[in-house]
């Protein structure tokens, strides 16, 4: 596995110091607090974290899809390399402007957790795929229909010609998610953001979708950002994993690093919370407490309020610096900090 | 779609059948009948003694002596088979002659008002939702609450005053004097349209205010759905996706309450018509009831209810076109 610190030319997406807040009635809420991550060509970056950790917000911001009350900090940078080779700064685009719309879908596509609500109920599946194709490819309606049917077939939907004419509510949940993937891929993006694409599906369908995504990635050579709260799912698809907690990245590394040698107490706790067949007799350990409200972010390490290994007087005072455990493995935790020095 | 249309048409016919029976029952409800009224008019003050037998004779003359079911079938078959609404006793002519012109004018006002209502409320409601919490949004909301609050006869008086003093044109009536008795022509139709504007604005105001708020509220809900974000994530231009996705669903509640609007306009029409001096059916309905001139009253009631049933039919069809899920429920 390549070192993420090198080969920066190989990065399709480079996010630096991303900070996102929301203006609300209760005040300004910081959802993402200065994170860095990058996605390499043809690879899958997994982002893991509980609900409210800022996974979706940070990735939606890449496409500038956040609601009007969101603020992306001035010093944040989201650099994306376009198909033309030009590197663009996504935070500088005008909202819903022309170049941004070219990138949306055509170069960065998004699939959602809820395939039912992400399709409009009043248009056929075919209509919504064709809309995507016609917007991003220079083809006739007839050709667009062929591309759409072809893509439905490719994502494993039976009778694609018939499904093309059907409405979203006439398909099963797994079918809809496949159709959602077909919409995204029909635009031929170089980066696919999958926002919990398997969360609403049952386990067998989940496995099929994961396999499908792996296959398609190999065929089409795109990069994927895969967001989930389930480390078990991400282990099957990701090359690298970033673990997020309360708007911060607390640990990053290759999938092997994270799954086999988790260093941050939060990552360790997440792994213990996954049911496993080989530990059928043991009780699952839940992480105690709830994720704090972003309105009252703890000072210091965001996780100290729930951490079993908290060092009083240290963890609750300042945010730990990054500690490089290896070329690929980085953790933000005082437990490991001294080893780095 | 064909099956759906047939189903709905049959449903409408059945509804109209029951409605016609109810209308007939309402016609029968007031005590007394036109025979007594006729005898009273004719002989009151003459000192003539009217016996029960005389009344029965008069009834037989008017055909009022037959049992109710027979009269109902004669009445309804006349309407269905010949378009004949029976005899207007008090006018000594047929009902068709009495209400003919007024029915068309009333329908013209109704139709024109509905068009104005939807042409204003739908686009403005969508605009207000998209520009939520902007100055334009607040201004439009305030304006539409004014529509709720203002009694429309007052609005009618104000507009009447303004148009006479400022524009020096009379808005009373539906025709300018030179066209009032002229045969139908393009100019006469133009004249009618120009006279329809003021009543339509007055009648449409409250319906527009109401529907504008409905469209705005539904649009706001729809704007926040994931399917809109999904379309945006596909790079669809903003105005195009707004019209294609949320706007299409935002007009659903308006379409499904079209008959309510028709009903509201019918109920408000007599007051506005009184102020503006418009010929319409409300006043005639009241008068024919007072006269116990039942076939006139029955014809008006039947036509008004038919219009509302028909509007319901139309809104069902529009809804089915707008939202394919509607057909699914019908099976």
């Amino acid at each position: 596995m390549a070192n993420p610190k090198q080969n920066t030319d190989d990065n399709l997406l480079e996010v630096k110091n991303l900070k996102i807040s929301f203006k609300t009635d209760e005040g300004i809420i910081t959802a993402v607090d200065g994170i860095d991550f990058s996605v390499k060509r043809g690879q899958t970056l997994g982002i893991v974290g509980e609900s409210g950790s800022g996974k979706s917000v940070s990735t939606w911001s890449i496409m500038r899809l956040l609601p009007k009350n969101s603020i992306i900090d001035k010093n944040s940078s989201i650099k994306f390399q376009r198909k033309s080779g030009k590197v663009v700064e996504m935070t500088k685009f005008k909202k819903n402007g022309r170049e941004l719309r070219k990138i949306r879908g055509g170069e960065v596509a998004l699939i959602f957790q809820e395939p039912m609500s992400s399709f409009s109920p009043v248009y056929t599946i075919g209509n919504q795929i064709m809309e995507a194709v016609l917007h991003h490819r220079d083809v006739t309606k007839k050709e667009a229909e062929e591309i759409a049917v072809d893509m439905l077939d490719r994502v494993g939907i039976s009778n694609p010609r018939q499904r093309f004419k059907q409405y979203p509510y006439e398909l099963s949940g797994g079918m809809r998610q496949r159709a959602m993937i077909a919409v995204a891929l029909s635009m031929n993006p170089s980066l696919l953001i999958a926002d919990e694409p398997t969360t609403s599906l049952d386990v067998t369908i989940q496995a099929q979708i994961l396999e499908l995504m792996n296959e398609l990635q190999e065929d089409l050579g795109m990069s994927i950002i895969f967001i989930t709260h389930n480390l078990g799912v991400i282990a099957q698809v990701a090359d690298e994993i970033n673990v997020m907690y309360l708007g911060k990245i607390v640990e990053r590394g290759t999938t092997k690093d994270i799954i086999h040698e988790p260093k941050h107490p939060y990552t360790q706790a997440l792994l213990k919370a996954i049911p496993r067949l080989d530990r059928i007799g043991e009780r699952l350990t839940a992480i105690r407490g709830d994720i704090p409200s972003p309105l009252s972010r703890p000072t210091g390490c965001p996780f100290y309020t729930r951490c079993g290994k908290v060092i009083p007087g240290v963890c609750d005072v300042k945010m730990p610096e990054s500690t490089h455990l290896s070329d690929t493995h980085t953790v933000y935790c005082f437990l490991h900090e001294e080893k780095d020095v | 779609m064909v099956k759906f249309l047939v189903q709905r048409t049959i449903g409408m016919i059945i509804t109209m059948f029951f409605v016609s029976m109810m209308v007939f029952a309402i016609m029968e409800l007031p005590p007394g009948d036109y025979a007594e009224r006729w005898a009273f008019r004719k002989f009151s003050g003459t000192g003539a003694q009217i016996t029960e037998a005389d009344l029965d004779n008069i009834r037989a003359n008017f055909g009022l002596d037959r049992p109710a079911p027979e009269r109902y079938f004669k009445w309804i078959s006349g309407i269905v088979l010949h378009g004949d609404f029976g005899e207007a006793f008090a006018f000594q002519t047929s009902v068709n002659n009495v209400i003919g012109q007024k029915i068309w004018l009333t329908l013209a006002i109704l139709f024109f008002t509905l068009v104005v209502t939807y042409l204003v409320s739908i686009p403005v409601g969508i605009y207000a939702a998209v520009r939520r919490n902007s100055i334009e949004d607040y201004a439009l909301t305030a304006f539409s609450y004014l529509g709720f609050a203002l009694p429309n006869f007052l609005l009618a008086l104000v507009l009447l005053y303004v148009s006479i003093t400022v524009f020096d044109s009379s808005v009373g009536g539906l025709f300018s004097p030179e066209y009032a008795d002229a045969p139908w022509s393009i100019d006469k139709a133009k004249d009618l349209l120009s006279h329809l504007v003021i009543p339509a604005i007055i009648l449409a105001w409250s319906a527009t205010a109401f529907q504008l708020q409905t469209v705005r509220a539904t649009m706001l809900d729809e704007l926040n759905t994931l399917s809109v974000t999904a379309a945006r994530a596909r790079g669809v231009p903003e105005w195009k996706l707004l019209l294609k996705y949320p706007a299409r669903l935002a007009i659903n509640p308006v379409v499904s309450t079209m008959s309510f609007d028709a009903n509201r306009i019918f109920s408000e029409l007599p007051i506005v018509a009184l102020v503006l001096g418009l010929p319409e059916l409300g006043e005639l309905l009241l008068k024919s009831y007072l006269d116990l001139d039942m076939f006139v009253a029955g014809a008006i009631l039947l036509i008004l209810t038919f219009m509302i049933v028909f509007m319901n039919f139309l809104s069902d069809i529009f809804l089915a076109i707008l939202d394919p899920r509607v057909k699914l429920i019908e099976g």
Side-chain angles (χ1 to χ4, degrees):
Chain A
M1 196 79 40
N3 183 340
K5 296 291 154 201
Q6 292 165 356
N7 300 333
T8 40
D9 292 343
D10 211 28
N11 282 344
L12 183 64
L13 180 78
E14 251 184 70
V15 176
K16 286 236 154 63
N17 197 23
L18 182 64
K19 185 173 173 182
I20 300 164
S21 339
F22 291 92
K23 267 186 280 185
T24 70
D25 293 340
E26 289 116 77
I28 291 194
I29 291 177
T30 302
V32 176
D33 194 9
I35 64 169
D36 304 335
F37 61 89
S38 56
V39 183
K40 287 198 278 290
R41 278 186 190 288
Q43 294 217 337
T44 301
L45 170 72
I47 299 183
V48 192
E50 280 167 281
S51 311
S53 59
K55 327 179 280 279
S56 298
V57 171
S58 52
T59 44
W60 284 33
S61 72
I62 298 168
M63 296 171 81
R64 302 285 306 280
L65 285 173
L66 296 175
K68 277 188 191 142
N69 62 342
S70 65
I71 310 157
I72 300 180
D73 190 78
K74 301 193 291 295
N75 299 321
S76 303
S77 148
I78 302 173
K79 285 200 162 60
F80 175 73
Q81 188 174 29
R82 297 199 55 177
K83 283 176 179 171
S84 60
K86 198 176 131 201
V87 175
V88 288
E89 175 57 55
M90 300 296 286
T91 56
K92 295 283 180 285
F93 284 126
K94 209 175 109 221
K95 201 162 177 83
N96 302 328
R98 178 183 283 268
E99 193 174 0
L100 184 58
R101 279 191 280 110
K102 282 268 168 235
I103 294 173
R104 281 180 183 168
E107 305 200 26
V108 186
L110 182 56
I111 57 178
F112 301 89
Q113 178 178 353
E114 301 282 346
M116 185 66 198
S117 43
S118 51
F119 275 115
S120 164
V122 296
Y123 295 95
T124 58
I125 298 284
N127 178 304
Q128 294 176 68
I129 302 188
M130 281 199 23
E131 176 190 70
V133 175
L134 287 170
H135 262 289
H136 293 289
R137 294 195 189 180
D138 193 17
V139 290
T140 63
K141 276 200 162 174
K142 194 87 204 112
E143 288 165 330
E145 187 176 334
E146 285 311 308
I147 293 173
V149 170
D150 209 51
M151 198 44 86
L152 286 174
D153 188 39
R154 199 154 171 187
V155 297
I157 288 179
S158 54
N159 295 328
R161 242 168 239 290
Q162 194 199 333
R163 302 279 180 230
F164 182 86
K165 295 188 203 111
Q166 285 186 319
Y167 289 94
Y169 56 80
E170 295 175 297
L171 269 60
S172 69
M175 282 292 169
R176 275 198 293 268
Q177 194 53 283
R178 283 172 193 268
M180 194 72 226
I181 293 173
V183 174
L185 298 188
S186 65
M187 299 177 284
N188 202 12
S190 45
L191 174 64
L192 178 69
I193 299 173
D195 190 354
E196 308 221 22
T198 58
T199 305
S200 62
L201 305 173
D202 66 55
V203 181
T204 46
I205 307 293
Q206 210 173 62
Q208 288 172 14
I209 297 287
L210 291 177
E211 196 179 326
L212 173 71
M213 290 186 64
N214 272 337
E215 259 173 49
L216 290 168
Q217 184 177 24
E218 260 168 49
D219 291 357
L220 305 172
M222 66 197 163
S223 309
I224 298 179
I225 297 180
F226 197 103
I227 302 169
T228 179
H229 58 257
N230 187 338
L231 269 170
V233 165
I234 212 149
Q236 298 172 49
V237 288
D239 298 296
E240 275 178 52
I241 297 177
N242 288 351
V243 182
M244 276 188 83
Y245 185 81
L246 208 63
K248 295 254 189 212
I249 287 178
V250 294
E251 184 168 7
R252 81 173 92 236
T254 61
T255 304
K256 215 172 125 202
D257 292 336
I258 300 291
I259 302 294
H260 295 293
E261 293 170 62
K263 293 297 184 211
H264 198 281
Y266 178 60
T267 319
Q268 291 165 351
L270 275 182
L271 278 165
K272 280 197 194 122
I274 303 171
R276 284 175 56 166
L277 279 174
D278 55 345
R279 293 195 199 145
I280 230 154
E282 295 171 28
R283 286 184 67 89
L284 283 176
T285 343
I287 304 177
R288 66 191 169 101
D290 284 322
I291 194 160
S293 154
L295 272 172
S296 53
R297 296 175 64 87
T299 50
C301 171
F303 189 57
Y304 90 86
T305 52
R306 301 166 74 189
C307 185
K309 300 173 184 166
V310 59
I311 312 167
V314 178
C315 296
D316 53 348
V317 176
K318 66 181 187 102
M319 177 68 198
E321 295 295 317
S322 62
T323 306
H324 301 293
L325 302 167
S326 73
D327 282 351
T328 55
H329 197 170
T330 305
V331 66
Y332 295 77
C333 181
F334 288 114
L335 291 173
H336 304 281
E337 204 161 58
E338 66 275 22
K339 292 172 198 166
D340 195 38
V341 182
Chain B
M1 193 69 196
V2 175
K3 191 182 160 202
F4 178 80
L5 273 180
V6 170
Q7 267 179 354
R8 287 287 138 155
T9 312
I10 292 171
M12 182 169 71
I13 291 169
I14 294 171
T15 312
M16 277 319 294
F17 175 68
F18 285 111
V19 163
S20 71
M21 290 210 285
M22 280 166 67
V23 166
F24 193 79
I26 292 170
M27 286 159 64
E28 294 286 302
L29 275 181
D33 59 15
Y34 188 71
E36 288 170 12
R37 188 55 52 108
W38 186 83
F40 175 76
R41 286 244 172 104
K42 181 125 184 166
F43 299 111
S44 107
T46 61
Q49 286 291 321
I50 305 297
T51 62
E52 201 52 41
D54 293 331
L55 274 178
D56 284 340
N57 269 336
I58 301 167
R59 281 201 184 98
N61 274 342
F62 287 128
L64 293 173
D65 55 334
R66 312 307 302 166
E70 191 185 323
R71 279 183 291 127
Y72 168 74
F73 280 108
K74 183 162 177 273
W75 177 66
I76 199 73
S77 60
I79 295 169
V80 174
L81 299 177
H82 312 293
D84 175 10
F85 284 89
E87 201 180 335
F89 302 127
F91 298 88
Q92 298 183 340
T93 175
S94 72
V95 171
N96 296 33
N97 277 340
V98 175
I99 64 170
Q101 178 122 15
K102 287 187 173 179
I103 269 288
W104 293 116
L105 293 177
T106 303
L107 292 184
I109 296 174
L110 169 72
F111 180 73
F112 202 69
T113 306
L114 284 175
V115 169
V116 171
T117 302
Y118 298 137
L119 278 185
V120 176
S121 62
I122 292 172
V124 173
I126 289 171
Y127 178 78
V130 173
R131 301 297 307 270
R132 182 187 190 178
N133 294 343
S134 64
I135 293 169
E136 298 97 307
D137 180 27
Y138 290 136
L140 286 167
T141 305
F143 195 64
S144 75
Y145 278 121
L146 204 64
F148 281 128
L150 217 59
N152 51 24
F153 64 86
L154 188 67
L155 189 64
L157 283 173
V158 170
L159 285 182
L160 201 61
Y161 178 78
V162 169
S163 72
I164 289 170
T165 53
V166 180
F167 299 104
D168 194 27
S169 71
S170 155
V171 289
L174 278 178
F175 298 104
S176 308
E178 60 266 37
Y179 290 111
D181 294 313
W184 279 100
S185 64
I186 303 237
D187 283 341
K188 185 171 177 176
K190 273 189 198 156
D191 185 56
L192 172 64
L193 269 183
S194 67
H195 279 80
L196 277 178
V197 172
I198 295 279
I201 289 175
I202 295 162
L203 287 165
W205 196 312
S206 66
T208 304
F210 180 77
Q211 295 292 27
L212 192 153
Q213 291 302 321
T214 312
V215 172
R216 182 182 175 273
T218 328
M219 184 77 184
L220 280 178
D221 285 347
E222 289 297 329
L223 277 176
N224 288 326
T225 56
L226 199 53
S227 57
V228 173
T229 307
R232 201 170 283 140
R234 292 198 285 271
V236 182
E238 198 64 14
W239 61 270
K240 202 173 171 184
L241 77 88
L242 289 180
L243 291 184
K244 182 174 174 184
Y245 297 99
R248 175 163 168 170
L249 289 163
I251 56 181
N252 270 2
V254 175
V255 167
S256 54
T257 53
M258 270 166 56
S259 59
F260 297 4
D261 288 334
N263 196 3
R264 180 201 304 257
I265 293 164
F266 274 137
S267 338
E268 292 177 356
L269 182 55
I271 298 170
V272 174
L274 195 68
V275 175
L276 294 180
L278 306 173
E280 57 85 48
L281 291 171
E283 196 195 350
L284 185 62
L285 177 63
L286 185 66
K287 227 170 87 191
S288 56
Y289 254 115
L290 292 175
D291 278 349
L292 295 174
D293 197 354
M294 283 311 157
F295 287 131
V296 175
I300 296 173
L301 277 182
L302 198 63
I303 289 168
L304 294 191
T305 46
F306 173 73
M307 276 316 297
I308 288 169
V309 172
F310 183 70
M311 293 299 285
N312 252 330
F313 172 73
L314 275 189
S315 68
D316 279 350
I317 290 172
F318 286 151
L319 262 190
I321 294 169
L322 280 174
D323 193 336
R325 289 171 295 183
V326 172
K327 271 176 286 182
L328 187 82
I329 299 159
E330 283 304 310

